[in-house]
Amino acid sequence: MSAAKGLNYSEKHLRTAQFAKALGHPARVFILEKLSQMNGCCTSGEMIGDIPIARSTLSQHLKELKFAGLIQGEIEGPFIKYCINQENWALAKDMCQNLFDNK
Amino acid sequence: MSAAKGLNYSEKHLRTAQFAKALGHPARVFILEKLSQMNGCCTSGEMIGDIPIARSTLSQHLKELKFAGLIQGEIEGPFIKYCINQENWALAKDMCQNLFDNK
DNA sequence: TCATTATTTCGTAATTTTACGAAATAGTAA
DNA sequence: TTACTATTTCGTAAAATTACGAAATAATGA
């Protein structure tokens, strides 16, 4: 990502791409779908049974979703409960809609 | 992407991720926004002025969007006119909405 | 034909992503 | 304390992504 010609990507383009990138792997789509369907929270142990990856890889994907701001984790005894970060989830939804609705 | 445990990602998850991945770079968000706003078509020469990358890199991004099915190019004299692939664009919009609306 | 224009493909390098198993961390329960 | 469970972090390897400039391709126009 260079800034040749003095140009740069707009904040909107950067943020939209960041959200899209976070959704750009089937494991992460699965995780987000599961979390938004649970309408509550879910541990990584509850996810691992339905997804064809190692636990450590799942952890890596969760970390990326956290980094993108789409989920958050909360320690609950020996578990970590992951939830959708509603604020950013709504933001991502908006940016997605704007792109598709051409605003 | 392994198929450990005999599990696999669903077609829906794979396709959603594929579309999202195609949107996962600011240059490609820019391109799609431009194309959907032009409401018609646009050549790579018309794009290059507003985006901070080399022509060859732009070409590479166009190729990826074509691969994902989101755009298509048509030779028009000495130019290539790129347009949104409306069918897949609508499909991507739907899959995105479904994910965010938790269906 | 020759030069020009628009764009892609090639070759290549740096970085990032994805994946795994092993080891580490941290809480619970005996 | 010790063992157990849940999960992450570490180390690492393979593959994919991103980027560039140079060269190739293909159509137009002189």
Side-chain angles (χ1 to χ4, degrees), chain B residues 68-80:
Chain B
L70 292 174
I71 67 171
Q72 58 204 60
E74 211 179 313
I75 295 170
E76 176 117 354
F79 306 98
I80 297 176

Side-chain angles (χ1 to χ4, degrees), chain B residues 9-25:
Chain B
Y9 296 113
S10 71
E11 270 310 311
K12 188 179 74 166
H13 291 156
L14 288 168
R15 197 83 177 105
T16 303
Q18 192 189 21
F19 283 138
K21 190 174 174 187
L23 293 169
H25 190 286

Side-chain angles (χ1 to χ4, degrees), chain A residues 1-2 43-45 55-56 59 63 78-80 82:
Chain A
M1 225 179 281
S2 73
T43 67
S44 94
R55 280 166 200 280
S56 56
S59 228
K63 198 173 169 183
F79 306 98
I80 298 178
Y82 284 101

Side-chain angles (χ1 to χ4, degrees), chain A residues 20-101:
Chain A
K21 191 173 173 186
L23 293 169
H25 189 286
R28 297 194 292 267
V29 173
F30 171 88
I31 292 165
L32 287 167
E33 189 181 84
K34 182 131 188 164
L35 286 180
S36 71
Q37 283 177 352
M38 297 291 284
N39 216 357
C41 300
C42 182
T43 67
S44 94
E46 290 170 308
M47 301 178 200
I48 196 64
D50 303 322
I51 196 172
I53 50 176
R55 280 166 200 280
S56 56
T57 307
L58 174 55
S59 228
Q60 219 168 204
H61 285 300
L62 290 167
K63 198 173 169 183
E64 270 187 79
L65 288 172
K66 241 188 295 180
F67 177 76
L70 292 174
I71 66 170
Q72 58 204 60
E74 212 178 313
I75 295 169
E76 175 115 355
F79 306 98
I80 298 178
K81 284 201 147 187
Y82 284 101
C83 312
I84 298 275
N85 178 318
Q86 296 298 341
E87 191 182 344
N88 287 328
W89 185 243
L91 193 57
K93 179 179 174 171
D94 275 357
M95 303 194 85
C96 209
Q97 272 175 353
N98 283 347
L99 181 62
F100 283 113
D101 294 349

Side-chain angles (χ1 to χ4, degrees), chain B residues 28-92:
Chain B
R28 297 194 293 267
V29 173
F30 171 88
I31 293 166
L32 288 168
E33 189 182 83
K34 182 132 188 163
L35 287 179
S36 71
Q37 283 177 352
M38 298 290 282
N39 216 356
C41 300
C42 181
T43 68
S44 93
E46 290 171 308
M47 301 178 201
I48 196 65
D50 302 322
I51 195 172
I53 51 175
R55 280 167 201 279
S56 56
T57 308
L58 173 55
S59 226
Q60 219 168 206
H61 285 300
L62 289 168
K63 197 174 169 184
E64 270 187 80
L65 288 171
K66 240 188 298 182
F67 177 75
L70 292 174
I71 67 171
Q72 58 204 60
E74 211 179 313
I75 295 170
E76 176 117 354
F79 306 98
I80 297 176
K81 285 202 147 187
Y82 284 101
C83 313
I84 297 276
N85 179 316
Q86 296 297 341
E87 191 182 345
N88 286 328
W89 185 243
L91 193 57

